[in-house]
């Protein structure tokens, strides 16, 4: 079945440091890939997405590139801020690829703390 | 426009009771999905509904059920509550199942505590 593997957290960075959160996936079809972010006490917010190989999703300074050859979708940001402190989830969905299931399969999440 | 609305935000129930959670999707969204979030298991898919029909169900016991109404609002029900059902229950909506490449929009969740 489908699965998503994220790097273990928590990750603690100083403000303006470079961020990478690794994400790899296993899927039977050709999935769409997502990064969601969850702030304390809130639901999930879509951060960025990519629907085909070599697509780069970007939002709020975050970027991730859909790498089919390495089945990866690593999240990066050049300079993190304290306000980026949250839990980040990598997810995939096979919906639209003919596999029939549109559910999201999530990684375990990576907690990021940014200190001033 | 209004986001996904989940009610109630917090709920405390006793073992053996049943509970109903509600989700109102974004106006115009016809697909609703439910997820359970726990520290141990992470985010797990419960159900997906579209046009009042359950399209898919995750690996949960029959005590977990749901439905969708003609206005796309959805409810999920958990009967005979167990301590392990304590979790954050998240609802997500999208235009339609085939439109999920745009990403789902999640509500803030209902925090259920079973004592």
């Amino acid at each position: 079945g489908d699965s998503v593997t994220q790097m273990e957290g928590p990750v603690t960075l100083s403000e303006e440091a470079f961020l990478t959160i690794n994400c790899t996936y296993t899927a039977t079809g050709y999935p769409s890939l997502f990064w969601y972010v969850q702030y304390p006490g809130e639901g999930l917010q879509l951060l960025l997405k990519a629907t085909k190989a070599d697509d780069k999703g970007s939002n709020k300074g975050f970027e991730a590139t859909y790498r089919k050859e390495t089945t990866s979708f690593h999240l990066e940001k050049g300079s993190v801020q304290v306000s980026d402190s949250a839990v980040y989830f990598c997810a995939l969905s096979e919906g639209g690829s003919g596999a029939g299931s549109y559910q999201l399969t999530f990684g375990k999440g990576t907690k990021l703390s940014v200190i001033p | 426009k209004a986001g996904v609305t989940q009610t109630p935000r917090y709920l405390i129930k006793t073992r053996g009771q049943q509970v109903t959670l509600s989700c109102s999707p974004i106006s115009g969204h016809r697909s609703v999905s439910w997820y359970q979030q726990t520290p141990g298991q992470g985010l797990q898919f419960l159900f997906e509904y579209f046009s009042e029909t359950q399209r898919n169900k995750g690996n949960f016991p029959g005590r977990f059920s749901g439905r969708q109404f003609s206005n796309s609002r959805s409810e999920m029900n958990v009967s005979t509550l167990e301590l392990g059902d304590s979790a954050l229950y998240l609802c997500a909506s999208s235009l339609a199942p085939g439109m999920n490449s745009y990403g789902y929009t999640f509500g803030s969740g209902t925090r259920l505590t079973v004592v």
Side-chain angles (χ1 to χ4, degrees), chain B residues 13 15 21 24 31 33 47 50 53 58 60 65 83 92-93 98 102 114:
Chain B
K13 290 287 188 179
R15 270 183 301 175
L21 312 182
S24 294
S31 178
S33 300
F47 337 91
F50 177 67
T53 301
F60 279 82
S65 63
L83 294 178
S93 76
Y102 290 90
V114 182

Side-chain angles (χ1 to χ4, degrees), chain B residues 8-23:
Chain B
R9 284 297 306 275
Y10 302 92
L11 208 47
I12 300 175
K13 290 287 188 179
T14 304
R15 270 183 301 175
Q17 287 186 313
Q18 76 166 20
V19 67
T20 299
L21 312 182
S22 178
C23 171

Side-chain angles (χ1 to χ4, degrees), chain A residues 1-4 23-35 48-55 65-73 90-106, chain B residues 98 100-104:
Chain A
D2 295 349
S3 67
V4 175
C23 171
T24 58
Y25 68 89
T26 302
T28 54
Y30 198 158
S32 294
L33 302 175
F34 307 88
W35 277 99
L48 52 84
K49 64 175 176 67
T51 58
K52 61 182 187 297
D54 300 325
D55 263 3
T65 301
Y66 191 144
R67 299 290 187 199
K68 192 170 187 292
E69 65 277 13
T70 55
T71 61
S72 64
F73 193 54
C90 185
L92 69 81
S93 173
E94 300 236 37
S97 69
S101 170
Y102 297 99
Q103 68 192 68
L104 287 165
T105 298
F106 288 92
Chain B
N100 72 326
S101 60
Y102 290 90
Y104 290 91

Side-chain angles (χ1 to χ4, degrees), chain A residues 32 34 36 38 41-46 49-51 87 89 93-96 100-108, chain B residues 9-10 35 37 40-45 48 55-57 88 90 97-98 100-109:
Chain A
S32 294
F34 307 88
Y36 282 87
Q38 186 175 35
E42 298 184 13
L44 302 175
Q45 298 177 23
L46 177 64
K49 64 175 176 67
T51 58
V87 181
F89 293 92
S93 173
E94 300 236 37
S101 170
Y102 297 99
Q103 68 192 68
L104 287 165
T105 298
F106 288 92
K108 293 289 189 183
Chain B
R9 284 297 306 275
Y10 302 92
Y35 291 82
Q37 186 178 24
Q41 299 299 316
L43 283 152
Q44 294 185 285
F45 170 76
E48 180 185 30
R55 290 180 47 87
N56 199 8
K57 183 176 180 181
L88 180 66
L90 293 166
N100 72 326
S101 60
Y102 290 90
Y104 290 91
T105 301
F106 281 81
S108 296

Side-chain angles (χ1 to χ4, degrees), chain B residues 81-103:
Chain B
L81 284 165
E82 301 177 0
L83 294 178
D85 297 333
S86 296
L88 180 66
Y89 289 87
L90 293 166
C91 170
S93 76
S94 64
L95 285 168
M99 303 289 280
N100 72 326
S101 60
Y102 290 90

